[in-house]
Amino acid sequence: MGGEKATLAHNRLREALVSPSGKITLSPEVLIPEPTDPTLLLLQGSEIQKLSRKIRIQAKANAVFISGTTTALRTFATEQEEAKGYFPGPLPIIYCPGTSGECDYDDISDAGASAVLLPVLNGKEISSAADVSSGDLKTLFQTVLENGLQPIPECVISADASWEEEDVQALIDALIEQCGMEPTAVVLTLGLGEESEEEDDEDDEDATVSLPAVSATLRKKIPILGSVSVLAGGGRLGGYTAILKNAGFTGSFLRSDCVPGFRMNPDLAVVADFWAAAISDLKSTKSKTFSFRSKIALGVDVPKAWYDYQKNVMESGALGETSMGQGDASNPDSGDFQGF
């Protein structure tokens, strides 16, 4: 039974994480905190259901990464399964258990996940394919598969190492050898590197982002997802995903760190509105300022509560300087937003 379920999960994930048109796929991470108050726990169930609907219907995400308890995972997955037979249909869910502690993969599978994110070498930075060759992931991968899940390895690669197409290919080949199989997808996360202290310098922001190069041959074989942790605002999120696409990545794994203020105030309603607006904006080919202004003016797609929240964050300076040079023609009071 586990084998059949794992095969179904593989097919769903491959279909979701690869765009037939060649566009980069967008899959957000939703971190669901565990309430300590029993009353808040009951109320959270309703918020998770609303969040699930918005990620599927308004954001039209390709897949979703869930961090949190299996109870929260089950609530999210149950709402997704209710969309069977409708468009858009249920999103495949990738569960993020973290690097510490043992996981009950049977419980995760039963809760509705299709896959599990597995940090290679417990998240230690990888400088070359030789680093991966020192490990053995076969037993772990087999355990995950037997429980009806797909294992998706995450490699944290050193920003100080060279990652040309042949280097990335060698890394994936070593990963396949250690896993004993070809993964359904692979996540590549860029480590901090020695230049991380300069990341706030806007003039050099694009220059300091040196992503691995993914060959056309490799991305046709395995979906390669790039991890995105930049704080949204001023076009940073859109800019980074564009760089990923140009580097040959199949999709983007949009981390919860992209949501402004989330760590200080993890409001699921705000998170739902943010991803609905951000992913819709990233997928849109229209003028970003006009698109967002129209949604605010009409009171649809992006609730005013999110606009007020985002406006306050921008005015506080938390997103840094957003001027595009030669004056700023946008009008926040009318609902303008300079892109995610």
Side-chain angles (χ1 to χ4, degrees), residues 36 52 67 74 76 78 137 146 155 167 198 205 222 294 323 331:
T36 55
S52 176
S67 297
R74 191 181 305 276
F76 192 100
T78 299
L137 298 170
E146 288 173 354
C155 296
D167 300 311
E198 302 176 11
E205 187 173 81
I222 302 175
S294 297
S323 175
N331 181 6

Side-chain angles (χ1 to χ4, degrees), residues 33-79:
E34 183 177 8
T36 55
D37 187 297
T39 302
L40 292 178
L41 184 61
L42 292 174
L43 294 174
Q44 189 188 59
S46 175
E47 291 301 313
I48 294 175
Q49 291 176 347
K50 293 176 183 177
L51 170 68
S52 176
R53 282 192 291 271
K54 286 195 174 184
I55 294 291
R56 181 181 70 256
I57 299 173
Q58 290 183 249
K60 293 182 174 61
N62 295 91
V64 60
F65 291 77
I66 296 291
S67 297
T69 66
T70 52
T71 299
L73 168 64
R74 191 181 305 276
T75 302
F76 192 100
T78 299
E79 193 287 321

Side-chain angles (χ1 to χ4, degrees), residues 12-328:
R12 286 187 65 193
L13 286 161
R14 279 291 174 95
E15 184 179 354
L17 297 175
V18 178
S19 170
S21 64
K23 295 180 180 179
I24 192 165
T25 58
L26 304 169
S27 304
E29 176 190 22
V30 177
L31 196 160
I32 304 175
E34 183 177 8
T36 55
D37 187 297
T39 302
L40 292 178
L41 184 61
L42 292 174
L43 294 174
Q44 189 188 59
S46 175
E47 291 301 313
I48 294 175
Q49 291 176 347
K50 293 176 183 177
L51 170 68
S52 176
R53 282 192 291 271
K54 286 195 174 184
I55 294 291
R56 181 181 70 256
I57 299 173
Q58 290 183 249
K60 293 182 174 61
N62 295 91
V64 60
F65 291 77
I66 296 291
S67 297
T69 66
T70 52
T71 299
L73 168 64
R74 191 181 305 276
T75 302
F76 192 100
T78 299
E79 193 287 321
Q80 287 294 324
E81 289 306 303
E82 291 175 357
K84 276 188 175 179
Y86 296 92
F87 181 82
L91 300 177
I93 299 171
I94 303 162
Y95 186 67
C96 306
T99 57
S100 60
E102 295 294 327
C103 292
D104 187 340
Y105 295 114
D106 181 58
D107 189 31
I108 293 170
S109 177
D110 185 65
S114 295
V116 177
L117 186 69
L118 300 176
V120 176
L121 302 180
N122 291 321
K124 179 182 176 182
E125 285 196 14
I126 297 169
S127 298
S128 69
D131 293 341
V132 177
S133 300
S134 62
D136 184 1
L137 298 170
K138 291 181 182 178
T139 302
L140 178 57
F141 265 53
Q142 190 60 39
T143 300
V144 172
L145 287 167
E146 288 173 354
N147 284 281
L149 296 163
Q150 282 296 326
I152 295 183
E154 177 186 14
C155 296
V156 180
I157 56 178
S158 173
D160 299 322
S162 172
W163 293 104
E164 300 300 328
E165 289 185 357
E166 57 269 23
D167 300 311
V168 175
Q169 182 66 63
L171 172 64
I172 301 302
D173 288 343
L175 194 61
I176 293 173
E177 181 179 353
Q178 294 306 313
C179 297
M181 59 168 283
E182 182 181 292
T184 297
V186 175
V187 172
L188 297 183
T189 299
L190 194 64
L192 294 177
E194 294 179 357
E195 297 183 355
S196 60
E197 295 180 359
E198 302 176 11
E199 63 184 0
D200 292 330
D201 187 344
E202 292 189 6
D203 293 334
D204 298 330
E205 187 173 81
D206 291 339
T208 60
V209 178
S210 181
L211 294 175
V214 180
S215 68
T217 301
L218 178 58
R219 65 174 174 266
K220 288 179 181 178
K221 183 179 180 182
I222 302 175
I224 306 295
L225 309 183
S227 177
V228 182
S229 297
V230 297
L231 186 67
R236 285 186 287 270
L237 196 56
Y240 199 95
T241 55
I243 294 173
L244 282 175
K245 187 179 187 311
N246 291 337
F249 284 77
T250 311
S252 59
F253 170 18
L254 306 172
R255 301 272 188 174
S256 58
D257 300 285
C258 298
V259 184
F262 176 68
R263 296 291 177 182
M264 295 177 290
N265 181 28
D267 187 326
L268 293 183
V270 171
V271 172
D273 291 338
F274 172 82
W275 286 126
I279 296 178
S280 296
D281 186 75
L282 293 175
K283 288 192 172 187
S284 174
T285 57
K286 299 178 182 179
S287 167
K288 304 306 182 190
T289 298
F290 177 79
S291 176
F292 198 75
R293 175 190 288 177
S294 297
K295 293 174 182 177
I296 292 296
L298 295 175
V300 295
D301 294 334
V302 183
K304 189 175 185 302
W306 163 247
Y307 163 64
D308 291 337
Y309 170 79
Q310 181 65 31
K311 184 183 175 196
N312 289 337
V313 172
M314 292 177 68
E315 291 177 344
S316 72
L319 300 182
E321 177 61 46
T322 57
S323 175
M324 303 302 288
Q326 298 184 355
D328 185 0

